[in-house]
Amino acid sequence: FVFVSDAAGNKTGWAANLGCTAPSTVSNDDIVYATEPLLDGTPLISQTNINATADLSSGCFDAGNSVWYEFSLSGGNNSIEIAFSDASFAEVQLMLLHSYNCSDGSAVIVGTNCMPVDNTASWTNLTQGYYWLGVASTVSGDFSISFTESYQDFCGDFFCGPGESCLTCPFDC
């Protein structure tokens, strides 16, 4: 922050109180402020759930310090893999949601996955649409996370996926 005066004289009318405090929550603490990752395995580094608050819980997803990520899938039969690195905790809790409605908080819970942070979580057979992933841990900490989308297409689903062409799947084209 820089304030520069023109040195023409000091007059009343401008005042400020400045200070530094730790934020009470992290930026993606609430599902409506979810972070959107790349789906090509590029890691989001220096993520944290320290000071995150509780919101949704289901099954083993109950730690109460969840942070949120959002992504869109298009076309047929999608899979998403979630991998962690540089985590300061040993266990992670994940909850994948579909069709979240911010006006009433309703959503379809695709599933929960609670596992050692060294494992890779995956969900398969996902339909096209928007998804939200909640990440929590019983011990708050820092981590890096990556999302990798894969797609298995089948001829005749009206979508030309990776490895398909109008020669191999003319009905899709």
Side-chain angles (χ1 to χ4, degrees), residues 121-136:
S122 64
W123 281 272
T124 59
N125 301 318
L126 301 174
T127 60
Q128 73 179 27
Y130 224 81
Y131 290 83
W132 290 263
L133 179 76
V135 176

Side-chain angles (χ1 to χ4, degrees), residues 2 24 35-36 39 60 69 80 108 122-123 125 138:
V2 176
S24 59
T35 299
E36 188 168 2
L39 300 180
C60 69
Y69 300 87
I80 194 81
V108 174
S122 64
W123 281 272
N125 301 318
T138 54

